[in-house]
Amino acid sequence: MTVLSPRPDLWTLEPEVLHLNHGSYGAVPRRTQHVMAALRAEAEANPMLWFRSVPDRLTASRLSLASYLETDPAGFALVPNASAGVTAALATLPISAGSRIVLTNHAYGAVLYAAQRFASANQAEVVVVDVPLEADDETVVSLVVAELDQAAVLVVDQISSATAMVFPIAGLVAACRERGVPIVVDGAHAPGLIDAPAADGADFWTGNFHKWPSAPRATAGLVGGEKWRSAARPLIVSWSEHDERLPERFDMQGTYDYAPWIVAPESLRVLDELDWPVRRSQLSAMIDEGARVVAKALGTGVAQVVRPAATMRLVELPSSVDLTAAEYLKARVSRELKAEITLTGFDGRGFIRLSAHAYNSPRDYEELSERLPRVLA
């Protein structure tokens, strides 16, 4: 395995804490924090002047983030998070009585709730497709396609939060297009892990910048296909309601804190200086080995996902661990072991979802393997 040179100096994380769950809330680089603090100070020094300057600053940020995604800036809008993006997409699409909103059993919980809300409001049905953790791309597509009859929309993960599994989006988009079914891609984890994640032509794609690109939290994007751009609306009705352009319509949401959106490109510059494509490849090798080390200590194994996310892995929990106590266990691991992990369940199995970012080193996973067994016992 390539020996990494971790860069904890770029972050303000507590040095004694093993932060092995970047995939949940990310971690904002020190430099981005400083720029954001300066912007907020500027806003407080003269709020009127600040809000007059926001539209131009948002435009510059949007163009930078759209370029990073390699997507058409005319179809790229800023939203607080991927859940908001999915909700805006579902609010745009026609969902008729008796139709189906199709998801998989890997769907993020909040996205499932959104599907249920819109199904209930439109007398539609939510259909959840069971996709095995070990399914290959061809199997995934065939299982989903079998449930697309009378579908108003397919909502599918690009990288599943619960299972760190990469879905075959190009194949699913092609299948949906052939059947005239709109597809919404939940790319919450995709920016930074998949190059040009919105390039497959989904009707809507949404993804978070606060995860792997390490932008401030409440920074995400929504990409709308040309067919839907005139109809898409933000979740808050504000002064830009009648703007004919998709991006600007989503920009000004009243007295929202715009500093995270404006400063997000600074984190992209930090990643660029880290030579992120090379670093990501190294992190992938490191998380492979780290997951094996932790699994060996627990007497379990690493989940055999056909296409795992570049920097996340699932380590199976011992069968004795009660996943209904997951929140208690995570808090105890944080308090007693000074480690931050997340626990996830899928198809009756419990897992630790481990993450790797530029501030991590192989020693982090070795230390977790030394400390964790006694707490899980």
Side-chain angles (χ1 to χ4, degrees):
M1 182 181 69
T2 304
V3 177
L4 294 172
S5 173
R7 294 297 307 273
D9 57 300
L10 298 178
W11 278 264
T12 56
L13 294 162
E14 296 178 46
E16 69 274 14
V17 174
L18 300 177
H19 189 42
L20 303 177
N21 185 27
H22 188 95
S24 283
Y25 299 111
V28 182
R30 186 186 298 271
R31 199 169 82 197
T32 304
Q33 293 179 47
H34 291 163
V35 176
M36 186 162 59
L39 286 176
R40 285 173 170 158
E42 182 183 335
E44 296 310 320
N46 189 335
M48 294 296 295
L49 181 61
W50 164 255
F51 277 100
R52 283 197 294 269
S53 77
V54 163
D56 287 344
R57 297 187 195 211
L58 285 180
T59 297
S61 179
R62 266 196 293 100
L63 292 174
S64 177
L65 295 173
S67 176
Y68 177 76
L69 295 177
E70 300 180 40
T71 196
D72 179 5
F76 174 77
L78 290 163
V79 291
N81 49 55
S83 295
V86 169
T87 305
L90 290 176
T92 304
L93 297 170
I95 300 171
S96 59
S99 66
R100 315 168 99 196
I101 300 176
V102 180
L103 307 92
T104 79
N105 57 336
H106 296 251
Y108 188 59
V111 170
L112 175 60
Y113 292 158
Q116 291 170 340
R117 174 190 289 188
F118 282 93
S120 176
N122 294 282
Q123 294 79 53
E125 176 189 7
V126 172
V127 175
V128 177
V129 182
D130 288 336
V131 174
L133 190 61
E134 298 82 5
D136 60 19
D137 289 356
E138 184 178 351
T139 301
V140 173
V141 174
S142 64
L143 288 171
V144 171
V145 164
E147 299 295 341
L148 290 183
D149 288 345
Q150 296 182 299
V153 58
L154 168 66
V155 184
V156 66
D157 297 89
Q158 193 161 25
I159 299 174
S160 164
S161 177
T163 59
M165 175 176 170
V166 179
F167 275 69
I169 297 303
L172 291 168
V173 168
C176 285
R177 186 167 294 158
E178 183 180 333
R179 291 159 179 80
V181 176
I183 178 172
V184 176
V185 175
D186 176 5
H189 285 273
L193 296 191
I194 294 176
D195 296 330
D200 290 318
D203 293 86
F204 285 98
W205 173 96
T206 185
N208 292 320
F209 291 98
H210 80 259
K211 293 185 184 288
W212 306 101
S214 291
R217 283 162 285 281
T219 305
L222 174 67
V223 176
E226 195 166 351
K227 176 180 179 180
W228 307 107
R229 291 177 189 175
S230 63
R233 292 288 186 277
L235 303 181
I236 298 172
V237 178
S238 195
W239 290 101
S240 58
E241 174 72 7
H242 297 295
D243 198 308
E244 294 182 358
R245 299 160 297 180
L246 170 69
E248 286 81 357
R249 196 182 304 134
F250 279 72
D251 272 359
M252 296 301 294
Q253 300 290 292
T255 51
Y256 187 79
D257 178 12
Y258 297 102
W261 286 5
I262 292 169
V263 79
E266 188 65 34
S267 288
L268 302 185
R269 288 187 278 273
V270 172
L271 291 192
D272 188 56
E273 291 168 17
L274 284 169
D275 196 358
W276 180 247
V278 172
R279 172 73 59 161
R280 182 177 63 195
S281 176
Q282 295 172 329
L283 292 172
S284 187
M286 184 179 76
I287 195 69
D288 275 338
E289 179 61 22
R292 284 193 290 267
V293 167
V294 174
K296 182 178 179 181
L298 298 180
T300 61
V302 180
Q304 297 305 301
V305 179
V306 173
R307 281 211 295 162
T311 57
M312 292 191 290
R313 294 294 180 273
L314 296 184
V315 173
E316 192 128 17
L317 285 165
S319 58
S320 58
V321 175
D322 179 6
L323 206 59
T324 63
E327 292 304 316
Y328 164 77
L329 280 172
K330 287 189 289 185
R332 188 177 168 200
V333 169
S334 176
R335 183 177 63 252
E336 297 182 18
L337 306 186
K338 299 296 183 185
E340 296 298 340
I341 62 172
T342 194
L343 305 180
T344 183
F346 181 79
D347 199 21
R349 300 158 67 186
F351 301 95
I352 304 169
R353 192 194 71 192
L354 295 174
S355 297
H357 210 283
Y359 49 79
N360 291 124
S361 72
R363 181 60 189 157
D364 293 341
Y365 306 93
E366 293 167 7
E367 289 189 26
L368 182 68
S369 71
E370 294 164 4
R371 304 178 193 179
L372 188 59
R374 67 179 176 83
V375 170
L376 295 185

